[in-house]
């Protein structure tokens, strides 16, 4: 039975993070970052290149192959002032990120607008080589706007428009201007499906060398997609978690991968990053949900924040995954699309994951709660060790392998 994290106080998940410990820039070589290894309450220092040897034999690593899009658009007004539009998520004609990125001619997105007061009326334009993109305000909702984009040449996809005009959205806490190397270094080497506005940062340490070493060691790997939203940086403002609303993120997985996960049950399943972990656990809960409501339509596949804690008798993992496979067969689809608001916090019982590769997260964040759910009170020991031994923190920082 789950104990419910609704009553957790976020102030219990705080530690002192001096600004100079935040890695402002990536290291010259991705796999030269440090790796804190925590297994059975014991901590050891390594470099990331050692990961293949440290993983339990027979592990399956699960990677998130989302790709960060250049979601920041800087429009200059005729008078010279700047208005920044930050694309958060698509609204129409498609809500699904994959489809929205392939949209041509025009689309509407939910956006944040910087310097909105300067935008008196009328459309804004960005001219680029061979074309122009225009932004118009459709509506204002709490804290954000619906912005309608139109562009020429009309046959360009929205992904291509962002690629030509947009800027990479670096995490706010880096507090610096973009450099040319951010374009490559703030993407994983296996990034494929465009749609994230933040990188799945645990994956930033992987190089071809590390990937080859994994294969040599017989460590299998597989990929799913969770489009990381800006909500990943949303600080917890509420005193207890019950009042914190988790952001929703879009998840995509192939039938082949669900089958692979099912076949691997009983052996170590290790997500690379908190987004992969959220995805894997959400897949289990989707199966549990479909077991109770087999007639849900594909667009109703959504895991709410507290579903795992409100479920009285959760099914076995193999049954949950089989239910997903059966659902995909009934709907004759090779890819499952869903959204998830799952919160993984102390009191959560893991259904699929047996460990985690992850960076060091901000105090009072839902990502730190997830780490604490996995390794319990050891999180304090791990973070104390990292602070005492000069580990680098956050997106461009060092890594850890946590095996409870």
């Amino acid at each position: 039975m789950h104990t419910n994290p609704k009553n957790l106080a976020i102030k219990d998940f705080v530690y002192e993070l001096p600004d100079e410990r935040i890695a402002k820039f990536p290291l010259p070589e991705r796999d030269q970052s440090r790796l804190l290894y925590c297994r059975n309450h014991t901590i050891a220092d390594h470099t990331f290149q050692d990961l293949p040897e440290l993983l339990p034999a027979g592990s399956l690593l699960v990677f998130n192959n989302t790709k960060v899009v250049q979601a920041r658009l800087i429009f200059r007004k005729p008078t010279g002032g700047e208005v920044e539009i930050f694309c958060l998520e698509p609204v129409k004609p498609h809500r699904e990120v994959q489809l929205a990125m392939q949209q041509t001619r025009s689309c509407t997105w939910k956006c944040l607008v910087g310097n909105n007061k300067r935008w008196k009326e009328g459309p804004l334009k960005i001219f680029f080589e061979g074309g122009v993109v225009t932004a118009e305000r459709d509506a204002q909702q709490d804290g954000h706007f619906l912005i309608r984009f139109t562009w020429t040449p009309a046959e360009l996809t929205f992904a291509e428009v962002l690629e030509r005009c947009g800027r990479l959205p670096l995490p706010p806490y880096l507090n610096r201007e973009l450099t040319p190397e951010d374009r490559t270094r703030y993407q994983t080497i296996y990034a494929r499906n465009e749609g994230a506005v933040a990188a799945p940062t645990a994956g930033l340490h992987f190089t071809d060398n590390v990937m080859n070493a994994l294969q040599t060691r017989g460590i299998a790997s597989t990929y799913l997609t969770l489009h990381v939203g800006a909500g990943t940086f949303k600080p917890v403002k509420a005193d207890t978690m019950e009042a914190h609303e988790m952001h929703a993120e879009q998840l995509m997985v192939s039938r082949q991968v669900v089958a692979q996960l099912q076949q691997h049950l009983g052996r170590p399943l290790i997500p690379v990053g908190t987004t992969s972990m959220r995805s894997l656990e959400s897949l289990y809960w989707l199966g549990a949900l479909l077991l109770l409501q087999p007639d849900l339509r594909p667009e109703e596949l959504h895991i709410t924040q507290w579903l795992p804690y409100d479920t009285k008798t959760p099914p076995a993992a193999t049954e949950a995954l089989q239910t997903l496979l059966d659902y995909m067969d009934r709907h004759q689809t090779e890819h499952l699309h869903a959204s998830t608001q799952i919160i993984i916090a102390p009191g959560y019982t893991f259904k699929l994951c047996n460990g985690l590769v992850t960076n060091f997260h901000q105090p009072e964040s839902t990502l730190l709660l997830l780490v604490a759910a996995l390794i319990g009170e050891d999180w304090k020991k791990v973070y104390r060790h990292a602070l005492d031994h000069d580990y680098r923190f956050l997106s461009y920082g060092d890594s850890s392998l946590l095996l409870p």
Side-chain angles (χ1 to χ4, degrees), residues 217-237:
R217 293 267 309 170
I219 305 283
S221 52
T222 195
Y223 298 87
L224 42 72
T225 306
L226 182 85
H227 291 306
V228 191
T232 190
F233 301 118
K234 186 165 129 186
V236 179
K237 294 282 199 330

Side-chain angles (χ1 to χ4, degrees), residues 22-76:
I22 298 172
K24 294 292 188 339
F25 294 91
L27 291 179
E29 301 295 331
R30 290 175 187 261
D31 57 13
Q32 295 306 305
S33 45
R34 298 174 69 197
L35 180 73
L36 182 151
Y37 176 55
C38 176
R39 184 169 197 170
N40 302 337
H41 313 295
T42 312
I43 292 173
D45 299 311
H46 288 269
T47 57
F48 198 80
Q49 282 176 313
D50 302 336
L51 178 76
E53 280 107 74
L54 298 172
L55 288 164
S59 291
L60 172 60
L61 281 186
V62 182
F63 294 90
N64 179 7
N65 65 4
T66 188
K67 189 171 188 180
V68 185
V69 291
Q70 305 202 122
R72 293 171 56 216
L73 293 162
I74 314 285
F75 290 86
R76 283 196 175 66

Side-chain angles (χ1 to χ4, degrees), residues 19-150:
D19 188 61
E20 66 271 14
R21 301 309 297 280
I22 298 172
K24 294 292 188 339
F25 294 91
L27 291 179
E29 301 295 331
R30 290 175 187 261
D31 57 13
Q32 295 306 305
S33 45
R34 298 174 69 197
L35 180 73
L36 182 151
Y37 176 55
C38 176
R39 184 169 197 170
N40 302 337
H41 313 295
T42 312
I43 292 173
D45 299 311
H46 288 269
T47 57
F48 198 80
Q49 282 176 313
D50 302 336
L51 178 76
E53 280 107 74
L54 298 172
L55 288 164
S59 291
L60 172 60
L61 281 186
V62 182
F63 294 90
N64 179 7
N65 65 4
T66 188
K67 189 171 188 180
V68 185
V69 291
Q70 305 202 122
R72 293 171 56 216
L73 293 162
I74 314 285
F75 290 86
R76 283 196 175 66
K77 301 198 332 219
T79 52
E82 284 188 356
V83 175
E84 177 175 329
I85 297 182
F86 184 6
C87 302
L88 294 176
E89 60 187 68
V91 177
K92 56 188 184 216
H94 305 290
R95 284 187 178 272
E96 209 170 271
V97 173
Q98 250 25 49
L99 294 172
M101 281 293 156
Q102 295 313 308
Q103 181 61 29
T104 54
R105 185 168 276 115
S106 74
C107 60
T108 301
W109 280 60
K110 184 166 126 182
C111 300
L112 296 174
V113 178
N115 285 337
N116 179 54
K117 289 193 177 66
R118 289 188 190 160
W119 186 0
K120 295 291 187 262
E121 74 248 348
L124 297 174
K125 292 181 189 298
I126 296 178
F127 293 90
F128 57 91
E129 200 177 328
V132 59
V133 57
T134 303
E136 296 171 89
R137 280 174 298 203
D138 249 10
Q140 185 169 0
Q141 298 175 337
D142 52 324
H144 59 261
F145 291 84
L146 295 186
I147 303 288
R148 182 164 184 267
F149 298 103
T150 49

Side-chain angles (χ1 to χ4, degrees), residues 165-223:
C165 309
R167 298 185 190 183
L168 208 65
L170 278 186
Y173 46 64
L174 289 186
N175 211 359
R176 66 168 173 82
E177 285 302 308
L178 268 176
T179 66
E181 72 167 350
D182 287 317
R183 280 191 70 141
T184 50
R185 291 304 300 275
Y186 196 61
Q187 298 281 15
T188 61
I189 61 168
Y190 48 79
R192 186 165 254 139
N193 295 322
E194 294 169 311
V197 297
T201 55
L204 296 179
H205 309 281
F206 285 83
T207 56
D208 290 335
N209 285 344
V210 172
M211 292 300 211
N212 293 336
L214 289 169
Q215 268 189 311
T216 309
R217 293 267 309 170
I219 305 283
S221 52
T222 195
Y223 298 87

Side-chain angles (χ1 to χ4, degrees), residues 212-386:
N212 293 336
L214 289 169
Q215 268 189 311
T216 309
R217 293 267 309 170
I219 305 283
S221 52
T222 195
Y223 298 87
L224 42 72
T225 306
L226 182 85
H227 291 306
V228 191
T232 190
F233 301 118
K234 186 165 129 186
V236 179
K237 294 282 199 330
D239 292 336
T240 61
M241 290 315 297
E242 185 164 25
H244 177 77
E245 190 186 351
M246 281 297 280
H247 56 290
E249 289 171 318
Q250 293 190 16
L251 165 65
M252 188 174 79
V253 65
S254 72
R255 189 190 187 288
Q256 186 187 346
V257 168
V258 177
Q260 189 180 2
L261 295 173
Q262 190 190 38
Q263 285 152 14
H264 198 83
L265 292 173
R267 285 168 294 162
L269 188 61
I270 308 214
V272 172
T274 56
T275 62
S276 299
M277 179 174 259
R278 284 164 52 85
S279 302
L280 286 168
E281 295 296 314
S282 295
L283 286 176
Y284 166 86
W285 289 107
L286 278 172
L289 187 64
L290 286 167
L291 208 54
L292 298 172
Q293 304 179 55
D295 297 330
L296 285 179
R297 299 195 309 279
E299 61 274 18
E300 295 174 315
L301 298 181
H302 175 68
I303 298 304
T304 55
Q305 180 165 342
W306 301 110
L307 174 80
Y309 308 95
D310 298 337
T311 304
K312 295 290 180 278
T313 48
T318 184
E319 189 183 5
L321 293 178
Q322 188 57 49
T323 305
L324 276 187
L325 292 170
D326 294 344
Y327 182 85
M328 291 169 84
D329 291 344
R330 282 204 308 282
H331 287 266
Q332 297 178 331
T333 179
E334 280 300 308
H335 287 90
L336 187 77
H337 292 261
S339 63
T340 180
Q341 276 181 291
I342 194 171
I343 182 166
I344 297 177
Y348 182 83
T349 305
F350 286 90
K351 298 302 184 183
L352 298 181
C353 299
N354 308 104
L356 177 65
V357 177
T358 191
N359 287 13
F360 297 94
H361 304 292
Q362 285 179 294
E364 299 192 346
S365 64
T366 56
L367 305 177
L368 189 55
L369 288 176
L370 179 148
V371 168
L374 182 70
I375 59 172
E377 284 296 297
D378 276 356
W379 80 264
K380 293 176 180 166
K381 204 161 75 172
V382 163
Y383 275 67
R384 178 79 278 150
H385 181 95

